[in-house]
Amino acid sequence: VEARAAVKAAIEMEGPVYLRFGRLAAPIFNDPETYQFEIGKGITLREGKDVTLVATGLMVSEALDAAEQLEAAKRLEADGISARVLNIHTIKPLDVDLIAKAAAETGLLITVEEHSIIGGLGAAVAEAVCDTCPVPVVRIAVNDEYGHSGPAVDLLKEFGLCAEHIVEVTKASMAKKA
């Protein structure tokens, strides 16, 4: 649903456009009847008050799954976490207003991307937060190392690009909140 909408927006846009698609199929979480894709405007997929998971591409569904796991822990334990999830489908231009609002309201951002930790979503979000509402930003991405070969699902887990790792990092990062 999102890929189709992004291609349509790219066709209609004046100027150069770069679209990046993952190798794996991703779960569909957007309703094709109501989904509105707008270049430069992220989408809040889930509300939360303790932390914001800022994701793009294949990692959006993993962030949603992690938020569910964190919420389930909240019902079972005292240390559960209410996680907001943002789908930032456009990195440039970046929806700075949505990110600044989330930073102000939750006080901690965890970015999740299937991309190098250098120069991607995490870097863009960190710059935006520094300029608007300084709060801790923790980045989950492919570390700056040589690439590996293998089945895509195995590589995602190897690099910590899965809901379980997002949950671990989020729990560990809560102490960074002011």
Side-chain angles (χ1 to χ4, degrees):
V1 173
E2 188 169 273
R4 186 176 294 118
V7 169
K8 185 175 186 293
I11 291 167
E12 295 170 354
M13 185 172 167
E14 184 86 20
V17 176
Y18 171 73
L19 298 173
R20 184 173 185 268
F21 297 101
R23 295 190 315 185
L24 296 174
I28 295 173
F29 48 82
N30 294 308
D31 180 354
E33 300 299 319
T34 60
Y35 180 64
Q36 297 288 317
F37 180 95
E38 186 177 347
I39 292 174
K41 292 294 178 190
I43 300 170
T44 302
L45 295 176
R46 178 187 171 93
E47 292 294 341
K49 61 180 179 49
D50 298 324
V51 63
T52 302
L53 304 178
V54 184
T56 191
L58 289 174
M59 296 298 100
V60 176
S61 60
E62 294 296 323
L64 285 167
D65 188 19
E68 287 293 329
Q69 291 179 38
L70 291 163
E71 185 68 30
K74 185 173 186 162
R75 290 189 292 270
L76 299 172
E77 312 163 11
D79 68 343
I81 298 167
S82 172
R84 181 177 304 187
V85 177
L86 302 183
N87 177 7
I88 302 297
H89 52 68
T90 307
I91 312 252
K92 186 174 182 181
L94 184 69
D95 192 342
V96 174
D97 292 339
L98 183 64
I99 290 166
K101 179 179 186 289
E105 292 175 358
T106 66
L108 173 64
L109 303 181
I110 312 285
T111 64
V112 190
E113 62 188 307
E114 180 208 5
H115 184 272
S116 172
I117 200 155
I118 298 171
L121 174 68
V125 167
E127 288 177 11
V129 168
C130 281
D131 291 343
T132 60
C133 183
V135 300
V137 175
V138 178
R139 299 176 298 153
I140 299 173
V142 178
N143 289 325
D144 186 24
E145 59 187 68
Y146 288 106
H148 304 190
S149 295
V153 173
D154 295 342
L155 291 173
L156 290 174
K157 287 204 182 297
E158 179 180 335
F159 287 111
L161 303 175
C162 58
E164 294 75 21
H165 186 67
I166 297 168
V167 167
E168 290 173 18
V169 169
T170 302
K171 287 181 176 181
S173 299
M174 292 304 291
K176 294 182 180 193
K177 284 180 70 168

